[in-house]
Amino acid sequence: MPLVADSEAGFIIHSRPFKEKSLLLDLYTLNYGRISAVARVSKSSASRSMGVYQPFIPLKLYLRQGRSSLWQLSDAIIQRQSFNIVPPKIFSAIYLNELLYYLTIPQDPEPHLFAAYLDALERLEKDEDEFMILRNFEEILIESLGYAPDYETINGESFKSDSFYIYLPKNGFIESSDVDNLLFSGKDLICIKNRDFSERNTRIALKKLFKVIVDSLLNGRTLKSRALYSQFLMVK
């Protein structure tokens, strides 16, 4: 029996042409996680579709799944206007979409992550602290995937403020005396564990730590959002 999802909350995170008169959409939904769906676009509905099938618009989705993992999207209703996120923060919003597209497991719902995504878009639109918006989302995503770091060494030892550590994805922290730009100071790791981000060096360390974890999960994939942000800074 086909699975039917009516009035499902979701966002489009990626789209591309599919066969004739159709789009293949990657959706991130509240109750079904990331799913792929085909939306048929006729000439009469093409202009409307161009306004609806865009990222950063909260949608009410009407979906039907047959025998394959591919869904059919029969309708999408806009719940509010697109989030008005301007450069350079728009590149952060694109970054969130890329993380959902590349790292989430298909049809694995994570309501907490969906709420974090919606919250991040709202805060980016309000021009709030971009740094913590991204770190909060990355933390929840990493936790949902089962890769949240344990803030102690792999031997179960507490960090020492005057020591340095290297982080091995999927393993943990190891004390190290090597000179390496991927080292983390024990002082910063203690602050991160205590969620004290008042010092600039701690914030830098948090960003570096999450980048190490995210990059390991991306497994060599490059993100367009990072390139776009770099190009924007060069032009500016």
Side-chain angles (χ1 to χ4, degrees):
M1 184 175 179
L3 183 62
V4 177
D6 285 343
S7 302
E8 175 66 17
F11 290 84
I12 293 169
I13 58 173
H14 188 262
S15 67
R16 55 198 178 277
F18 182 73
K19 298 181 178 179
E20 287 188 44
K21 303 178 182 178
S22 294
L23 292 173
L24 182 59
L25 306 173
D26 289 284
L27 309 169
Y28 195 67
T29 68
L30 175 60
N31 295 301
Y32 299 92
R34 177 169 61 86
I35 61 175
S36 297
V38 174
R40 187 168 178 80
V41 182
S42 64
K43 288 183 179 180
S44 59
S45 65
S47 60
R48 174 181 177 275
S49 300
M50 290 299 291
V52 175
Y53 299 149
Q54 301 292 327
F56 315 127
I57 301 176
L59 298 171
K60 183 185 293 184
L61 304 165
Y62 293 82
L63 297 148
R64 179 186 180 92
Q65 185 186 32
R67 295 180 180 178
S68 72
S69 61
L70 198 61
W71 295 66
Q72 298 290 327
L73 178 63
S74 60
D75 199 6
I77 299 175
I78 295 176
Q79 296 303 286
R80 55 148 282 180
Q81 64 183 8
S82 175
F83 284 97
N84 183 26
I85 305 171
V86 298
K89 285 187 169 59
I90 188 61
F91 306 120
S92 294
I94 296 171
Y95 172 70
L96 301 181
N97 279 5
E98 288 188 295
L99 292 185
L100 291 175
Y101 178 72
Y102 286 120
L103 299 185
T104 55
I105 301 168
Q107 295 195 196
D108 183 22
E110 290 284 352
H112 188 41
L113 182 60
F114 184 91
Y117 175 69
L118 179 58
D119 178 67
L121 295 182
E122 290 175 342
R123 293 173 63 193
L124 286 170
E125 183 179 49
K126 293 176 182 177
D127 201 28
E128 295 183 13
D129 182 5
E130 186 176 17
F131 177 88
M132 288 312 302
I133 293 171
L134 296 184
R135 303 298 82 81
N136 289 337
F137 181 82
E138 288 168 340
E139 181 177 36
I140 293 171
L141 173 62
I142 291 166
E143 287 177 349
S144 74
L145 296 172
Y147 291 101
D150 292 321
Y151 289 106
E152 59 184 22
T153 70
I154 59 175
N155 298 321
E157 299 171 347
S158 299
F159 299 126
K160 293 174 284 189
S161 60
D162 58 349
S163 295
F164 289 85
Y165 302 83
I166 189 169
Y167 184 75
L168 302 178
K170 304 178 184 179
N171 289 291
F173 291 97
I174 299 176
E175 189 171 354
S176 175
S177 59
D178 293 338
V179 178
D180 193 306
N181 63 358
L182 290 180
L183 286 179
F184 299 89
S185 76
K187 178 184 176 182
D188 287 330
L189 292 175
I190 292 170
C191 287
I192 291 172
K193 181 177 181 178
N194 294 331
R195 306 192 72 80
D196 177 4
F197 307 119
S198 57
E199 294 192 14
R200 181 174 181 271
N201 285 344
T202 302
R203 289 162 67 95
I204 292 173
L206 179 65
K207 180 178 180 179
K208 183 168 64 173
L209 174 60
F210 285 172
K211 186 176 186 301
V212 169
I213 299 172
V214 167
D215 285 352
S216 72
L217 295 173
L218 287 171
N219 197 26
R221 296 187 185 94
T222 57
L223 299 181
K224 292 182 179 178
S225 53
R226 289 175 177 170
L228 290 170
Y229 186 70
S230 297
Q231 292 171 10
F232 174 83
L233 293 179
M234 289 177 62
V235 171
K236 188 175 181 181

